[in-house]
Amino acid sequence: MNQIALGNNGPLVSKLGLGCMRMSTAWGGTNDEQESIATIQQALDSGINFLNTGDFYGHGANELLVGKAIKGRRDDAFVSVKFGALWHNGQWIGLDLRPAAIKNFINYSLVRLGIDTIDLYQPCRMDNSVPIEDIIGTIADLIKEGKVRHLGVSEITADQLRLAHSLHPVTALEIGYSLADRQIENDLLPTARELGIGVVAFANTAEGLLTGELKAPLADNDYRHHFTRFQGDNLLKNLEKVEVFRQIASEKGCTPTQLAIAWVNAQGDYIMPLVSMSRRSRLPENMQAMEIVLTPAEITTLNNTFAPGAIAGGTYLQR
C-alpha cells in the first residue's frame, strides 16, 4: 500500500484509509465484533495504517473495538478520532464543542482505545454556538499536553478552514467526496490544497449509490431515506445515471465500487479515499481499486457524466 504525507510535511499514512464506523451499531445496524477486529488487523498487515473512528460511533463501542484490534501493535496504526456529536436513543440531538467537554471527551477516548496519544483529533463539524478559536485552542492545548499529535477538522466551510489553520496548523480535512458529491470542488478543496492540508475523503460511493447494487424502492428502515437523493423520483433518476456508471466500470474491467474509489484516488496525492469496511472479504477489492489507473479520456467521461448537479436531490451535506 502506497503512503502519502498527510498535508505539508505531515505524518506518513497509507493512501487508503479504513473507516471503522460501520463496525459498531452504525445507523442502527450491528456487526460481528470478531470479524471487525480481524478486518482491522488484516488491514494493518496489508499496510493500511489509517484507522478512522469517532467517540460517538456506537456510543463508544467503536473505540473499544479499535482498541482491542490495535492492542500490542500501537505503532502499526494511525488513529483518527472525531468527537462532539451527541446522540440519544439513536437520534442526533446536537453538538457539544465547549472546551470543558472536549477535555472530557478525549480522556474517555484514550481509555477506550487503550492508548496514550491520539494521532489525529477532530471535531465532527463546527458548532456555531462555540467560537472556533475556543475549539481549536483547546485541541492545541491537548497537543501541547501530548494527548494529541495532529489537528484535524471535518465538514467545515472554506472560511472556517482558513480561520482554524491560522490558529493552529490543520493536518487533515475529513469531508464527503465522490463523483456524486462534488460540491467541495468550488471552494473547500482548492482552499485545502492552497493551505497544504490533506483531505480524507469519505462516502466515496455516495452512501452506496455508486456501488451499482442499489435497487428501488429502499426498505422502510433504510437510513438513506434521510437523504433526498434516495427519495421518490430522485432515486429513480439517479439509478438511471448509475446504469451508465456500471457500463463504464464494466468496460474498464472493474466493479462500480472500485471505479468510484479509483476516481477519488486519482484526484490528487493529497487526497485519501476513506473506505468503510467491516469484513475481511472487502479488503482485496478495495485495495485493488487503488491500483486502477484512469486514462485522461476516462476521467473526462466520468467528470462529464457526473458533472456537479447531475445527481438529483441533496448532497451528503444537504440531506
Side-chain angles (χ1 to χ4, degrees):
M1 176 58 59
N2 292 333
Q3 289 192 322
I4 58 169
L6 197 59
N8 284 354
N9 303 313
L12 284 177
V13 294
S14 52
K15 187 65 161 71
L16 177 66
L18 174 60
C20 300
M21 181 186 73
R22 298 186 189 281
M23 297 178 179
S24 302
T25 60
W27 303 108
T30 58
N31 285 295
D32 182 330
E33 181 179 281
Q34 292 306 310
E35 177 61 22
S36 295
I37 290 173
T39 300
I40 294 173
Q41 293 176 338
Q42 186 165 314
L44 294 175
D45 292 340
S46 301
I48 300 174
N49 70 342
F50 189 97
L51 307 179
N52 182 266
T53 183
D55 64 6
F56 49 93
Y57 293 170
H59 305 290
N62 199 245
E63 288 183 320
L64 288 168
L65 186 150
V66 171
K68 292 176 183 178
I70 66 174
K71 186 175 182 179
R73 54 187 312 181
R74 174 66 181 94
D75 292 343
D76 295 339
F78 184 95
V79 180
S80 170
V81 177
K82 290 191 292 296
F83 66 88
L86 303 177
W87 291 78
H88 180 68
N89 294 335
Q91 299 297 316
W92 166 283
I93 59 173
L95 296 165
D96 192 349
L97 298 179
R98 296 170 299 163
I102 297 172
K103 292 174 182 177
N104 179 61
F105 291 152
I106 191 166
N107 288 295
Y108 280 99
S109 289
L110 290 170
V111 170
R112 286 190 289 254
L113 289 163
I115 59 180
D116 298 322
T117 307
I118 290 172
D119 297 304
L120 184 69
Y121 200 53
Q122 53 194 335
C124 63
R125 62 186 62 185
M126 288 299 169
D127 180 359
N128 292 329
S129 69
V130 180
I132 291 180
E133 291 84 352
D134 291 350
I135 299 168
I136 301 302
T138 301
I139 301 174
D141 288 342
L142 295 175
I143 291 174
K144 292 176 183 177
E145 293 176 20
K147 292 185 176 181
V148 173
R149 289 195 174 94
H150 303 281
L151 166 67
V153 293
S154 179
E155 299 195 36
I156 194 172
T157 68
D159 288 341
Q160 290 172 332
L161 182 60
R162 287 187 183 279
L163 175 55
H165 192 66
S166 72
L167 298 168
H168 188 280
V170 175
T171 295
L173 160 69
E174 183 178 327
I175 195 77
Y177 188 38
S178 72
L179 271 168
D181 287 319
R182 301 180 61 184
Q183 72 277 7
I184 67 171
E185 293 177 347
N186 293 330
D187 196 5
L188 189 55
L189 202 56
T191 300
R193 186 186 304 114
E194 173 195 335
L195 298 176
I197 297 170
V199 175
V200 178
F202 64 86
N204 301 163
T205 65
E207 302 298 330
L209 180 63
L210 299 179
T211 63
E213 300 174 359
L214 204 61
K215 305 295 181 184
L218 299 180
D220 290 341
N221 63 347
D222 195 309
Y223 74 91
R224 285 169 290 202
H225 284 293
H226 295 291
F227 300 77
T228 56
R229 67 159 52 114
F230 294 102
Q231 298 173 3
D233 290 341
N234 284 345
L235 177 57
L236 296 176
K237 293 177 181 177
N238 292 336
L239 289 179
E240 291 177 2
K241 185 72 69 174
V242 172
E243 280 303 309
V244 178
F245 187 67
R246 283 169 56 93
Q247 182 60 36
I248 295 173
S250 177
E251 294 172 357
K252 185 67 175 174
C254 64
T255 68
T257 295
Q258 288 178 317
L259 185 59
I261 296 170
W263 181 86
V264 173
N265 186 42
Q267 300 313 298
D269 289 340
Y270 67 103
I271 297 177
M272 170 201 294
L274 178 67
V275 180
S276 293
M277 291 174 268
S278 59
R279 302 189 307 276
R280 285 169 287 179
S281 60
R282 301 297 297 181
L283 274 166
E285 176 186 356
N286 293 329
M287 291 182 67
Q288 288 164 12
M290 302 295 288
E291 304 299 324
I292 295 174
V293 177
L294 298 176
T295 67
E298 289 168 337
I299 290 176
T300 297
T301 297
L302 289 169
N303 288 345
N304 290 341
T305 303
F306 290 90
I311 295 297
T315 63
Y316 189 86
L317 298 179
Q318 299 168 339
R319 299 176 182 181

